[in-house]
Amino acid sequence: MTRVSEQPQEAAGGPQPDRTGEGRDSPPRRTGRQLVAASVGNGVEWYDWFAYSFLATYIADEIFPENTGSSLVPLLSTFAVFAVGFFMRPVGGLLLGSVADRAGRRAALTLTILLMGGSSLLVAVTPTYASAGVLAPVVLVAARLLQGLSVGGEFAASTTFLVESAGPGRRGLFSSFQYVSTTAGQLVASGVAALLVSTVSDGQMHQWGWRVPFLLGALLSLAGFWVRRGARETRSERQAEAPRPGLFDALRRHPRESLLVVGITAGGTIAYYVWTSYLPTYAEVNAGLDKSDALVSGTISLVFFMLLQPLGGMLSDRIGRKPLLLVFAIGFAALCVPLLHAVGDSFTSLLLVQCVGMVLLTGYTSIAAAVNAEIFPARVRAAGIGFPYSLAVALFGGTAPYVGTLFEDLEMPDAFPWYVAALCLLSALVYLRLPERSGEELER
């Protein structure tokens, strides 16, 4: 295949087609295809991640011993493994974010989808505790570690890829597709779980039904890999030819920006995981809501949430990022406690609480990718975002289901809503001092 000349564009008579995979200094053409490439892969990644959460109670029964003296211990153990996966995310954000900065965004995106497919397959073939003893939780932990590594790198690479693909005045809109695709993955996971629960007997769900979503996730990852291989690279030629950044360059040279990302993320991540992932379990454990009703309510609210994301992104392109962030954080700090206390044993109460929270949450999720990408220079953007963001998610988001269940086990269920509200208030203070960069040109 003929290689593109490496002479400057002006000397070559204008912009040349990119056949090498490296981007130019302007956003790549065919942005619709770019959105599909990021969204399909990101959706597949998060389908698998949330399938674990939706099926946590079945996994607890099969992988962990029951003779522990407390019925909550198997569920706590399952959510502890959930948190272990999150603590691999900072490692993935740093390592795979560095791959995106050094070898290109597309290289990192294809690697993350392959890692997720392998980890999904490993969960699907995990033996039960009854058949393999302690080997069962060991295999599950290994799979969750691999998943955490992949998802940490996924956010770093796909966030950078999406925002760099956007044209002028559209970064907020493109940013919103980070959570459009994430939510699409959740919806598929929720739909598959709900279908299985409604059509397969409880005994079959415990025997083999919970494995089906993970086998499907492994197959879907192959489709995501194929789509991403055809994406256009967004890293500019200037950045590709520059000296490669070191693994810790972003942390060493931009410590303030790294801390800023942690503060931006703390409230948003716990609110996100509580409302989209843990709330059905919260309703089951604290209010006695039927499991199938909780799954259906979660599915409906996720559809509503997904439709809100582009609206939030477009609004931020018009009025800026800070107003949306402040509405989210202050709204959650004020309303989180009464909303969680309003969760009852009825389908309607859970659905209303979820939808109100989704409206507030959109102020963060629709623009999180743009806000983080606008903080760092292009040379270290992916690794700069990946590590502090994933660290905050691990500390505050990944532990949310475990902390919530722990408060219930300690007979302190009322403390958990206040914990969520306090973190949202902390992030609100960060947002007040955050520079507004929506109108500035993004460095490439």
Side-chain angles (χ1 to χ4, degrees), residues 105-314:
R105 321 310 189 200
R106 188 177 63 178
L109 288 172
T110 53
L111 179 57
T112 59
I113 198 70
L114 287 177
L115 290 174
M116 182 58 79
S119 63
S120 184
L121 182 61
L122 190 57
V123 173
V125 299
T126 299
T128 64
Y129 187 88
S131 65
V134 72
L135 179 63
V138 168
V139 172
L140 185 62
V141 168
R144 294 303 296 175
L145 291 175
L146 190 58
Q147 285 175 321
L149 184 74
S150 174
V151 174
E154 169 67 18
F155 185 88
S158 64
T159 291
T160 306
F161 181 84
L162 272 173
V163 177
E164 290 179 348
S165 294
R170 302 181 72 191
R171 292 201 300 268
L173 174 61
F174 273 54
S175 169
S176 70
F177 280 86
Q178 181 79 39
Y179 279 89
V180 168
S181 56
T182 296
T183 307
Q186 287 179 258
L187 283 169
V188 175
S190 177
V192 170
L195 180 63
L196 282 169
V197 169
S198 62
T199 58
V200 176
S201 69
D202 189 66
Q204 290 174 322
M205 277 298 301
H206 283 86
Q207 185 177 7
W208 55 266
W210 65 270
R211 301 179 186 274
V212 173
F214 299 103
L215 288 172
L216 180 60
L219 294 175
L220 290 175
S221 68
L222 295 178
F225 173 76
W226 178 78
V227 171
R228 284 186 164 180
R229 287 201 64 185
R232 294 281 300 275
E233 178 60 64
T234 63
R235 186 177 60 158
S236 69
E237 186 176 90
R238 177 170 58 87
Q239 293 296 334
E241 294 175 349
R244 293 186 173 186
L247 183 63
F248 297 102
D249 273 10
L251 289 172
R252 187 173 64 251
R253 299 187 180 186
H254 303 279
R256 180 182 178 277
E257 289 82 355
S258 299
L259 289 173
L260 193 60
V261 170
V262 174
I264 289 169
T265 307
T269 188
I270 191 168
Y272 175 75
Y273 281 101
V274 167
W275 245 255
T276 65
S277 183
Y278 176 64
L279 200 55
T281 302
Y282 180 88
E284 292 175 39
V285 174
N286 290 273
L289 186 67
D290 182 75
K291 185 181 300 182
S292 61
D293 284 345
L295 286 172
V296 173
S297 175
T299 301
I300 294 173
S301 63
L302 283 173
V303 172
F304 177 64
F305 178 68
M306 183 173 66
L307 295 176
L308 289 175
Q309 299 312 295
L311 300 178
M314 288 188 290

Side-chain angles (χ1 to χ4, degrees), residues 23-36:
R24 299 293 176 180
D25 290 341
S26 60
R29 298 176 182 177
R30 297 186 295 176
T31 53
R33 184 172 180 177
Q34 296 293 100
L35 285 175
V36 171

Side-chain angles (χ1 to χ4, degrees), residues 11-12 25 37 61 71 77 99 179 197 209 211 294 310 339 371 417 433:
D25 290 341
D61 290 342
S71 61
S77 300
V99 170
Y179 279 89
V197 169
R211 301 179 186 274
L339 283 174
V371 171
R433 300 183 59 85

